[in-house]
Amino acid sequence: MKQLVLFVLLSVLWSGAAQAQKLRKTEWESGMLEKGEKVGVWEYYAHTRDGSQVITQKYDHTAKKLVFFRPFDDIPYQVQGPGGQWTRQHLTQPVLYIGGDAALASYMTKLNYPSVAQSKNIQGRVVVSFVVDTLGRAADHKVLLGIGGGCDEEALRVCRNIPQQWIPARIGSRAVVTQHELPFTFRLATAAK
């Protein structure tokens, strides 16, 4: 009888634990959810030009630590030195956004096309630069390349409202303060003929 009670108790505990975590898999991410929060290691995906799905990032949401990132172009980035001066340096790891480009794109597409820009048929790309510190916080947002018509201000607004889920750049194992840039595209829909 004791064995039966113990078995039933363990079964109830096991089923409760199994239901507490749930696997979530989409085209852009996969991992476990616990009480609606991401836990453990999550994989984030992108698609190559030929349509293949590739892992771009693995992030441990429990430990709050980057586990893997897909290699990037080895170009120098603006890095702030100890005296506050900026120099171009090669990074071991660039600034990354938790969830990769797909997660970042979901915020970047929240642009409201300014009516002035629409009426003047202004289209193009606005580039916003900002600094990501060693704790992954973004600050000092500035329009680096603008097109006017209210588009510059709108890109700046959206960029400032991106949640603070940045992973700082690294040189070796040391986090560094780095300048990062994001492009925002403003394109009017063409009328069907």
Side-chain angles (χ1 to χ4, degrees), residues 22-34:
K22 179 180 173 186
L23 176 66
R24 177 178 173 187
K25 183 164 177 59
T26 69
E27 181 181 2
W28 305 109
E29 64 185 6
S30 70
M32 298 300 288
L33 289 173
E34 186 173 289

PDB file of all heavy atoms in Angstrom, residues 22-34:
ATOM      1  N   LYS A  22       7.024  24.051 -20.922  1.00  0.00           N
ATOM      2  CA  LYS A  22       6.380  23.775 -22.202  1.00  0.00           C
ATOM      3  C   LYS A  22       7.345  24.153 -23.317  1.00  0.00           C
ATOM      4  O   LYS A  22       7.963  25.215 -23.281  1.00  0.00           O
ATOM      5  CB  LYS A  22       5.109  24.612 -22.297  1.00  0.00           C
ATOM      6  CG  LYS A  22       4.344  24.444 -23.570  1.00  0.00           C
ATOM      7  CD  LYS A  22       3.107  25.327 -23.558  1.00  0.00           C
ATOM      8  CE  LYS A  22       2.432  25.303 -24.902  1.00  0.00           C
ATOM      9  NZ  LYS A  22       1.325  26.239 -24.970  1.00  0.00           N
ATOM     10  N   LEU A  23       7.471  23.289 -24.311  1.00  0.00           N
ATOM     11  CA  LEU A  23       8.334  23.558 -25.459  1.00  0.00           C
ATOM     12  C   LEU A  23       7.634  24.524 -26.407  1.00  0.00           C
ATOM     13  O   LEU A  23       6.464  24.341 -26.732  1.00  0.00           O
ATOM     14  CB  LEU A  23       8.667  22.262 -26.203  1.00  0.00           C
ATOM     15  CG  LEU A  23       9.498  22.421 -27.483  1.00  0.00           C
ATOM     16  CD1 LEU A  23      10.891  22.935 -27.142  1.00  0.00           C
ATOM     17  CD2 LEU A  23       9.597  21.100 -28.223  1.00  0.00           C
ATOM     18  N   ARG A  24       8.355  25.549 -26.826  1.00  0.00           N
ATOM     19  CA  ARG A  24       7.838  26.483 -27.822  1.00  0.00           C
ATOM     20  C   ARG A  24       8.796  26.451 -29.005  1.00  0.00           C
ATOM     21  O   ARG A  24       9.996  26.629 -28.842  1.00  0.00           O
ATOM     22  CB  ARG A  24       7.776  27.895 -27.256  1.00  0.00           C
ATOM     23  CG  ARG A  24       7.319  28.893 -28.301  1.00  0.00           C
ATOM     24  CD  ARG A  24       7.210  30.260 -27.738  1.00  0.00           C
ATOM     25  NE  ARG A  24       6.923  31.199 -28.817  1.00  0.00           N
ATOM     26  CZ  ARG A  24       6.906  32.497 -28.663  1.00  0.00           C
ATOM     27  NH1 ARG A  24       7.143  33.028 -27.479  1.00  0.00           N
ATOM     28  NH2 ARG A  24       6.665  33.293 -29.679  1.00  0.00           N
ATOM     29  N   LYS A  25       8.251  26.231 -30.182  1.00  0.00           N
ATOM     30  CA  LYS A  25       9.074  26.204 -31.386  1.00  0.00           C
ATOM     31  C   LYS A  25       8.345  26.964 -32.477  1.00  0.00           C
ATOM     32  O   LYS A  25       7.197  26.696 -32.773  1.00  0.00           O
ATOM     33  CB  LYS A  25       9.342  24.763 -31.828  1.00  0.00           C
ATOM     34  CG  LYS A  25      10.265  24.671 -33.032  1.00  0.00           C
ATOM     35  CD  LYS A  25      10.806  23.270 -33.202  1.00  0.00           C
ATOM     36  CE  LYS A  25      11.670  23.104 -34.415  1.00  0.00           C
ATOM     37  NZ  LYS A  25      12.835  23.931 -34.494  1.00  0.00           N
ATOM     38  N   THR A  26       9.057  27.954 -33.042  1.00  0.00           N
ATOM     39  CA  THR A  26       8.518  28.716 -34.155  1.00  0.00           C
ATOM     40  C   THR A  26       9.561  28.690 -35.268  1.00  0.00           C
ATOM     41  O   THR A  26      10.613  28.066 -35.133  1.00  0.00           O
ATOM     42  CB  THR A  26       8.228  30.182 -33.772  1.00  0.00           C
ATOM     43  OG1 THR A  26       9.472  30.856 -33.545  1.00  0.00           O
ATOM     44  CG2 THR A  26       7.339  30.283 -32.542  1.00  0.00           C
ATOM     45  N   GLU A  27       9.282  29.420 -36.320  1.00  0.00           N
ATOM     46  CA  GLU A  27      10.227  29.516 -37.426  1.00  0.00           C
ATOM     47  C   GLU A  27      11.517  30.221 -36.998  1.00  0.00           C
ATOM     48  O   GLU A  27      12.574  30.013 -37.576  1.00  0.00           O
ATOM     49  CB  GLU A  27       9.558  30.293 -38.562  1.00  0.00           C
ATOM     50  CG  GLU A  27      10.399  30.448 -39.786  1.00  0.00           C
ATOM     51  CD  GLU A  27       9.684  31.242 -40.875  1.00  0.00           C
ATOM     52  OE1 GLU A  27       8.544  31.714 -40.667  1.00  0.00           O
ATOM     53  OE2 GLU A  27      10.295  31.398 -41.941  1.00  0.00           O
ATOM     54  N   TRP A  28      11.433  31.052 -35.939  1.00  0.00           N
ATOM     55  CA  TRP A  28      12.568  31.892 -35.541  1.00  0.00           C
ATOM     56  C   TRP A  28      13.229  31.496 -34.228  1.00  0.00           C
ATOM     57  O   TRP A  28      14.322  31.960 -33.932  1.00  0.00           O
ATOM     58  CB  TRP A  28      12.118  33.350 -35.447  1.00  0.00           C
ATOM     59  CG  TRP A  28      11.495  33.816 -36.719  1.00  0.00           C
ATOM     60  CD1 TRP A  28      10.178  34.073 -36.924  1.00  0.00           C
ATOM     61  CD2 TRP A  28      12.146  34.038 -37.968  1.00  0.00           C
ATOM     62  NE1 TRP A  28       9.963  34.456 -38.228  1.00  0.00           N
ATOM     63  CE2 TRP A  28      11.171  34.446 -38.897  1.00  0.00           C
ATOM     64  CE3 TRP A  28      13.467  33.946 -38.406  1.00  0.00           C
ATOM     65  CZ2 TRP A  28      11.452  34.754 -40.216  1.00  0.00           C
ATOM     66  CZ3 TRP A  28      13.754  34.261 -39.721  1.00  0.00           C
ATOM     67  CH2 TRP A  28      12.754  34.654 -40.605  1.00  0.00           C
ATOM     68  N   GLU A  29      12.571  30.643 -33.406  1.00  0.00           N
ATOM     69  CA  GLU A  29      13.128  30.314 -32.098  1.00  0.00           C
ATOM     70  C   GLU A  29      12.565  29.009 -31.569  1.00  0.00           C
ATOM     71  O   GLU A  29      11.504  28.556 -32.000  1.00  0.00           O
ATOM     72  CB  GLU A  29      12.822  31.439 -31.098  1.00  0.00           C
ATOM     73  CG  GLU A  29      11.344  31.633 -30.834  1.00  0.00           C
ATOM     74  CD  GLU A  29      11.028  32.820 -29.940  1.00  0.00           C
ATOM     75  OE1 GLU A  29      11.938  33.584 -29.596  1.00  0.00           O
ATOM     76  OE2 GLU A  29       9.852  32.970 -29.579  1.00  0.00           O
ATOM     77  N   SER A  30      13.298  28.402 -30.632  1.00  0.00           N
ATOM     78  CA  SER A  30      12.777  27.230 -29.933  1.00  0.00           C
ATOM     79  C   SER A  30      13.435  27.127 -28.567  1.00  0.00           C
ATOM     80  O   SER A  30      14.609  27.466 -28.392  1.00  0.00           O
ATOM     81  CB  SER A  30      13.006  25.948 -30.736  1.00  0.00           C
ATOM     82  OG  SER A  30      14.383  25.611 -30.759  1.00  0.00           O
ATOM     83  N   GLY A  31      12.625  26.695 -27.599  1.00  0.00           N
ATOM     84  CA  GLY A  31      13.120  26.538 -26.235  1.00  0.00           C
ATOM     85  C   GLY A  31      11.967  26.260 -25.291  1.00  0.00           C
ATOM     86  O   GLY A  31      10.821  26.092 -25.709  1.00  0.00           O
ATOM     87  N   MET A  32      12.288  26.214 -24.002  1.00  0.00           N
ATOM     88  CA  MET A  32      11.298  25.883 -22.985  1.00  0.00           C
ATOM     89  C   MET A  32      10.752  27.147 -22.314  1.00  0.00           C
ATOM     90  O   MET A  32      11.491  28.096 -22.063  1.00  0.00           O
ATOM     91  CB  MET A  32      11.924  24.984 -21.914  1.00  0.00           C
ATOM     92  CG  MET A  32      12.427  23.645 -22.446  1.00  0.00           C
ATOM     93  SD  MET A  32      11.139  22.622 -23.202  1.00  0.00           S
ATOM     94  CE  MET A  32      10.229  22.130 -21.775  1.00  0.00           C
ATOM     95  N   LEU A  33       9.445  27.106 -22.046  1.00  0.00           N
ATOM     96  CA  LEU A  33       8.774  28.164 -21.296  1.00  0.00           C
ATOM     97  C   LEU A  33       8.356  27.607 -19.947  1.00  0.00           C
ATOM     98  O   LEU A  33       7.899  26.474 -19.854  1.00  0.00           O
ATOM     99  CB  LEU A  33       7.524  28.645 -22.028  1.00  0.00           C
ATOM    100  CG  LEU A  33       7.704  29.453 -23.299  1.00  0.00           C
ATOM    101  CD1 LEU A  33       6.357  29.689 -23.969  1.00  0.00           C
ATOM    102  CD2 LEU A  33       8.377  30.782 -23.003  1.00  0.00           C
ATOM    103  N   GLU A  34       8.533  28.396 -18.917  1.00  0.00           N
ATOM    104  CA  GLU A  34       8.051  28.031 -17.589  1.00  0.00           C
ATOM    105  C   GLU A  34       7.294  29.232 -17.045  1.00  0.00           C
ATOM    106  O   GLU A  34       7.871  30.322 -16.905  1.00  0.00           O
ATOM    107  CB  GLU A  34       9.227  27.681 -16.677  1.00  0.00           C
ATOM    108  CG  GLU A  34       8.796  27.154 -15.321  1.00  0.00           C
ATOM    109  CD  GLU A  34       9.983  26.660 -14.522  1.00  0.00           C
ATOM    110  OE1 GLU A  34      10.543  25.612 -14.888  1.00  0.00           O
ATOM    111  OE2 GLU A  34      10.345  27.345 -13.546  1.00  0.00           O
TER     112      GLU A  34
END
